Structure formats: C-alpha cells, structure tokens
Amino acid sequence: MTLTRRELIVTLLGAPALFTSGCSASPRLPPAGELLGQSLEIGHRLRDGFRWPQPNADQWQDVGVVIVGGGVAGLSAAWRLQQNGCEDFVVLELESQPGGTSRSGRCELTPYPWGAHYLPVPLPHNHDLIRLLNEMGVVESVAEDGSPIIGEQFLCRDPDERVFVDGEWIEGLYPATGASEDDLAQLAAFRKEIDHWSAWRDAASRRAFSIPIRHATDDPEVLSLDKQSMAEWLRQHGWTSPRLHWLVDYSCRDDYGLTAEQTSAWAGVLYFAARLKEPGADHQPLMTWPAGNGRIVEHLASQAETRLKTGIAVTRIQSRQSRQRLGELRNDSPISGEIGYEVLAFNTASEQPIGFRAKSVIFAVPQFLAPRLIDGFAERTGRNAEQFEYGSWLVANVHLSRRPRESSFPLSWDNVIHDSRSLGYVVATHQSGNDHGPTVLTWYHPLCDDNAKAARQQLLKAKWSDLADVVLTDLERPHPEIRSLVTRLDVFRWGHAMIRPRPGFITSRQRREATQPDGRIHFANTDLSGIALFEEAFDHGLRAADEALASLTPNP
Amino acid sequence: MQSEDSMNRAPLFLLYLNVLIIASCGLVYELLAGTLASYLLGDSVTQFSLVIGIYLSALGAGAWVSRFVDQRLARCFIEVELAVALIGGASAPVLFLAFSSVGAFRVVLYGIVFAIGTLVGLELPLLMRLLKDHLDFEDLVSRVLTFDYLGALFASLLFPMFCVPRLGLVRTSLLCGLLNAVVGLWGTYLLRPLLSSRGLSGLRGRACLVIGLLIVGIIKADSLTTLAEEHVLGEPIVHAESTPYQRIVLTRNTRGFQLFLNGHLQFNSVDEHRYHEALVHPALSSVKSPRRVLVLGGGDGLAVREILRYPSVESVTLVDLDPGMTSLADRFPPLAELSRSSLKDRRVTIINEDAFLWVGRDVGPSSSKASTAGPFENLPHEKFDTAIIDFPDPGTFSVGKLYSTRFYRMLRERLTAEAVISVQCTSPLVAPQSYWCIVKTLESSGFHVRPYHAAVPTFGEWGFVLASSSSPLPVKLSLSSELIGPSRFLTDNILNSLFDLPPDLARVEAEVNQLNNQVLVHYYDQEWGAMK
C-alpha cells in the first residue's frame, strides 16, 4: 500500500502539520533533488539467498585481515591496525563512499552531513579518541587532568541551539516559553538526579554511566534501569511536566531514534549523565564540522589509503574448516594451512566477483548481517541476532538560495521545532562562520514506530516528491517562505540506521555475547553497545583490531 | 447648464474655506518637494529655487489651460480637486520610493511638482469663474486672492512647526491629499445646482474612492519602514535602501547627515572626524612608513580617507560584507564629498565578503599547509603592516564572531611581525564589560594592547584598542610627520592623552570571547539593553 500525500504527512509529522500544509493536491516542490539510500538491491539479494558468481583463480587476493564494512567501526579498526604496524589489511565497503551513517555530501558551497554530525569532547579517560583527535589537529593541548583543549574553531559556534515554540524561536532546547514554577522545579530536580548519576562510582571507581559503555559499572542497581522505559523512570520520580517529558523525549529521539516511552531508562540516563565531567558541570562541549562526523571519516579513510575499497559487496564469509567439512577443498586449493577464511565479494562497479583469503576477519557491519554473511554462524555460536532491532531514519539536505527571514532568536547550529515529530535541522555553513547568503539545512527524522520493519517498508516505498513535500511542510511552520528559497532537496532513506536500545536489550545475554569472536572473526559495530554513538563504534573497532592482532601473533 | 439662480449665498464662505484649504495644500506639496529634494540631492538653495520655479510656472500653465475649459465648470473643478488629492497625497511616499536611484528621482520629483502646480493653477481660475455670477468682479478677486494668500501663510507656518515634526513627511502629504479629496466630495454638494445629475454618483464614488485610498495610506503609513525609522531616528530620512545584509538609512538635519545601519548610528558628519582620526592615526602613526593597510568594515570610506593621508601607503585592502555600503557614495553624493571619494582611489581594493571568511581563508589549524590557490588568491597572503578594524558593535552573533579569539588569531596570520592594529570597541562607559572583554580577547590572542578612548559627541565616550602582533607598543606616540593635510581633532598632545583612562573607565573583569561562548554578545546585549 502506498500512502497519499496527506497520509504521509500525518504519518511522519503528525496531524497538526496538516494545518500548515493546506489541502493543495500539488504543492510547490523543489526545482531539483533526488532520492538517495543504501544499496538496497545487494542487501535484498543477500537476504533472499541469491547465488553469487564465484571468483576465478586470478580474482583471489591474500591478505592478513579483511575488515568487512567501511563505517566508523571498520575504519577505526583499520586505524588501530596501522597504529600497531599492521598494514596487511583491506576494508571492504559496499557503498561508493565510506562512513556508514557518518557519511557526508558536498556541494559547491559547503560539505554537509548525511547522518551523525557532532561529537562531544571526550572525557580524559578516553585516551584513544583523544589521540585520534590530536592526529586530526583538533586538540591544541592537554590540560593537567588529561582533558583535551580543543581548537575553538572545532567547538560548536554559539548560538548552538534554539527551539521553535508557540510561533517563536527561543535560545536553548528547553521549551521555556510559558513554563510554570512547577515545570522549572521538575527540571531542576531532574538535573539534580542526573548530577547524582554523574557523580556515582562503584567500588572499582567506575562511573555509573560512561562512554564508551565498556568502562561503565556492572552494578545491578544501575543496570536495573534497563528494565523500564525512560518515560516510566520519569513518572516514577513524580515528574510529569510536559516540558520536561518533551526535552527527554526529544533527546531520546535525537540519540536513539526512539521515544522516551520506547527507550530504556538506562540508555536515557546515560545520554544525560555520561557527558558530564562532574556534578554541576555543563554537558561536554560539542565538536562539529560542516561535513558533520564525515570529517572524521575523511581522516580515517585517508589513513587507510588504497586499502579501503568501496563498491565491494561482501557476499559470503566461510572458514576453511567448514569448507573442508563440506569436501569443497581440493588438494590444489590455494588456501594454505594457516589461512583461515575466504571472503567472497562482488565488485559493484565492474560487476565481477572477487575473493580474499584472510587469516582473520573483522566484521564491522550490523549484527543482523552476521547470519546472512557468515557460513555456519548460527550453528557454531548459537546466536541469531534476532533481538537486534534497527530503526529507520529520513535525512534531507535542503539547499537554500538565502537564509529565511526571521525576527526572533537568530539561526543557530541546531534548530528544533517543538511540536514536530522531526528533529529539526542543523545548518551546514554554521561552523565555517558563514552567516549570509545561500546555505544547506540538514533535516532529520527518526521513524519511531514500534514496528520498525513495517515503517522501513513504508519509507522505502515513498517517492521523492512525497518525501520532499514532508520535509518542506515541516520547515514551513517556522519558515513560511521556505518553498521559494529551495534550490535543491535531496532525501536519504536509511533503512537500518540505528540500533534501538529498548528496555531489556542493553542487559540482554544476546547483546553481551555478540561481542565474542567466532573463531578469528571479530565483531565491531556500534550496535554491540546497544546504542548508536561514534564513541561506541570507535571503541568496538579498536577492540576488534586488538583481538585480531592478538590472534595473529603466535603465542610464545 | 443650470442657471445662476440656483446658487444661494449661504455656502459662499464655505467656498472661501475651500480656497484656503486648496492654497494651503498646494503650498505644502511644494514645500514637501523642496525639502525632499534638498535632503537627497543636497544644495538646498538650488533645490528650493528649482522646485519653486517649476511650481510657479506650472501654476501659470494651469491658469492658461483653464481657458480651454468652457463647459461643465463645476464638474471639472471637482475632477481637478480629486486629481490634486491623489497626486499630491501620494507625492511623498512616491518620492521616498524613488530614493534608491538619483536619476529616476529627479524625473519623478520635477514631474510631480509640475503636475501638482498645473492642477492647482487650474483650480483658482475655475473657482473664480464659478463664483463670478454671484459676486462683483472686484469683490471676487479680492476675496479669493485674500484667502489664497492666507492659505499660503497658514501652510508655511504649519509645515515646519507641526507637519514635519509631528506627522513626518509621508503622513503630511497623505493628509493634505485627504483634505483636497474631502473638498472635492464636499464640492459635489456645494455645487450640486451646477452639476448635472448624469454621472454625479460616479463622481462622488470616485471622490470616496480617493478618500478611501488616502485613509488606507495614512493608516498603513505607520507600518511603512521609512516612517517607523523617521520616528525612531528622529530626523528626516534622505536616503534609504535595503541590501541583502542590512538596512541602510541616511538622515539629515541642519547640522549634517547621519548613517544608520539596521537602526544603529554609524557616524554623524558633524563629528565623524573625531572618531575616524582616533581610529586610524594611533595605529598608522605607530608604524614606520605604513605600506600595506588592511581595513575590515569601514565601508563608508571615512577611515580610508584618513589612511590615504599617509604618502607611504601603497595599498589599502578594504573588506566589507555589503556592496551596497561600499558603493553608497555613488548614490548619495554628500558621502562621496565627506569621504573625499576615498574608495575610488587607485590604491584601494574593495572586497565584499564576510571578513571572518576572508581572513580565515587558507588559515588552518596549522598554517604550514601549502597554498594551492591560483594567482588571484595570492593577494590575501601578502602580509599587512597595519590593520584598522571598524566593525559594527557586537550586537549580533554574526558580528560577535568578528571579535573572537579565533578571528584575532587568524588575523595575526595576515599581519607582519611588526604590525599594529586598532579596533573600535563600543563605549567603555556604557558597556565596560563589553569593552574590556574585547581587550582581554585581544590579549589572549597574543596581541600586546593599549586601550584608549575619545570623546565623540554624537556617540559619547568611545573606546578603541591599539594592539601589536609581537613587539610591545611605544609608550609615547606622535603623529607621523608625513601626514598630508591638517587634522581637526588630533595633535601630539591630544593623541597621547587618549591613552589616559579616567577612573570611570577602569578595567573590569570579563571573560574571553570565543566562538563557542560568544560572551561578548551577551555582555553587549545586557549593557546596552540596560541603557534603553
């Protein structure tokens, strides 16, 4: 079933948006634009058990480590291998561009993000991330306590955020307009509770909430938060203020693509508490670039150089042992005794099969692909990745001939529309200090439907014109003239954009066990943490690289 | 035609009242045109002369045309009245709209003056012919001319004492038009016996339409930006334009003209020399034979005028966001005169770009990166030995970034090791925290600083900072001996006295202004907000 324009607007933006969208059957659309997305065809062939052509003998390469996936986890693993002197690896990326959900685009005026677009300044304990940032020239010096001093031009420029409430933009994210004393008292109480959690340490002086979460406590009191939803947790504390609930709900949708009702309280509290250096401190400042986290991807990709191969679809990963068992290996097989894996792939540009013989594999793509790509994965590990649930996102880049006219709080980096289901937009030209003339707005919308699969299918069916209209209908509320300013509007549909930290998932056995290697296949992806964050993907990439290095080094 | 018996004598004095109103309104239109012309084009003697000459000759033309009206006198009188109402009433708004182009403005101005003059010139002869059957000739001439000249006196007193100060030019013009239109409508009743029934309701309908239009104009006048600005600025506007970046408004009073950007006063021609001498000379006189000077902001060309007084200056690069500002002197000749057309000097290069982007071009976290720029791009890489920073006050975030450590650090990359700069930094008396925030920000960006101040009557006590890239600044300054032409404000003694800060300008605590905190915009908002 395909939705009508009205139905699509109600589905994605909510009924109030219809008031501004009017009843016109043929709304004004941007003069140019296209529908972008991940390579669905390859993915669906994998899902449906397509029989890929086999590589010829001359289409095989020997390599130490094959990294499957050129997103943040895969590129971080590559970076770690290189840091440890291992140059014998390839990174295989299906898309034409690396980065996964941190990828970016570029027009004549400016680069712009297609997904993740900021990174909080890491706390002193995150040495590896600080080292990466230092390598990028982002860190000017390091303070006595180990905190990095970040170059001013990389810290999000003020004004950083504003929210559109009751027809006016106001500074910050909290919808303070018309807030009662009780609202503000509840906000203060909430902040106090967050402070409590940021100060909390266990017997081993681990934080209650830490990013990467590997460093956080396993204390049952803290983990028990995963049993309830963030909204339940708020209500349990007697906090019913609609403004506070909105703030928390917005934060959950922003970071996890889930509403507060759907998000695990553990993940919800982590969002607020893990980025406070100490109680009473401000949230760690944000670093951002015009390309968003695409800038970090660009750095990592440039380090990997030609070892990063794009447009390569991995179709099957099989171990030598399983092939021997199946009697597939002949005596003249090119696989020698010590090589453990064959990675079969397909070059989407040349449409030729390609094979890699590797000692070790780093599987840096989402878990749901493991049973589809790794031969005998479920039988060997007893894991099926079924509890890994992924939400879809709709992201649009809206190119404008000039900034919309405004009278209240001025255009900021992050611009949030209070009563919309979208997350609003960030301004690509903001960080470069470009305050006049044409710009690009990156608009975000997580599909929070309980049934992620149905929502994903609905999204994949929608046409460009309908999605472009949804974006503009949303932007029209704060900016009535927006349709006359748009020169181009591209829409990106992310099918499996983010792992969903619903109650119970973080503490689930399946999630905790998913990090365990399968032979010499090591897993690295942010979904292993149950939350989609750069720091988690980076951390898993480093861990998997360390595991691979250890397994390649013969024990003395 | 109806016969003479049908006009009774009772409303005759009302007709004299009409004469009074017509005469007053006619003169007001003339005064409006003269005032607007002298505001915009300068040289009020020529402008008033021309406007009066054209107006009087048009009166004659109207009187001459009146002989060709031989039928339906009353109807024609009313039609003329309505035409005067419409053209005269709309004259000031139309002239304001024509402001942006000086060439078109002259055509519109003289056209309107001539049209109004002709119509007003038609009115009196027609009225006299209408009345001639009811009065002796001597009586008629004496009474009509008495009221005509009384009206002129009335208008000449009312215009400067009430109309301009209380109503503003636009509403004065619309109100006079309304009076003319009411006289026209009223005439359809007074002269009813002389009017044929055919088309009478159409005539009244048109009168009502004109009245309606002018009333709408008067109501809407309040929302007209120009009127709003006149009200805010308190002076008549002589030039106004909106660029993509800002609203540029020039006002003029008896003492000089003033430039406003987005409603904020930038200079007053009466005392701008104090500001610009204080801004430019401490820096340029601190550099031995300044050669390459950078000006950031200052699109009015007044700082450049002072810079060009140094014969050693080989090039001046002026970076100002708004092409509308750097070309303003072309459209407003008095500014060209005041700036001595400094921006046209062959030594001056104008770059219309956001100074933040221009200064930061190819300045990365490490400046060692080789430039891949083409020949044109080489220009910004030649270093400057002096920089004059004349940005608007940091009232918005997009201006606040131009006072940040990041900006000053990028700027240092563009300067020679011995370079000296000066920065305008709002009033240290009104906004001490803002002022000292800028000083501290410069210090933390690696500059040696010497704060100073100057009294600019229009602004009040004004603050600047003299700063050098590396070497400390001299304790005693003297004006360069090479300086061409006399200074009106600075002498060596005055120059050094600017660096003596009185106790009420003493340093206060302030944070460093960074891109990611923009504390300066918050300070500025609080301190100037408290003034209002």
Side-chain angles (χ1 to χ4, degrees), chain A residues 161 163 171-176 183 186-188 190-191 194 230 234 241-255 258-260 268 271-272 416 418 423:
Chain A
E161 54 191 7
V163 57
E171 185 172 13
L173 194 55
Y174 183 73
D183 283 327
Q186 289 194 25
L187 179 67
F190 169 76
R191 293 206 163 128
I194 295 297
M230 189 62 183
L234 288 176
S241 157
R243 287 180 171 76
L244 177 61
H245 274 259
W246 180 86
L247 179 75
V248 173
D249 184 73
Y250 177 84
S251 306
C252 290
R253 287 186 294 130
D254 190 33
D255 257 29
L258 290 174
T259 63
Y271 172 95
F272 291 96
V416 175
H418 177 251
L423 296 173

Side-chain angles (χ1 to χ4, degrees), chain A residues 167-183:
Chain A
E168 242 189 12
W169 290 104
I170 57 170
E171 185 172 13
L173 194 55
Y174 183 73
T177 311
S180 67
E181 273 181 35
D182 184 48
D183 283 327

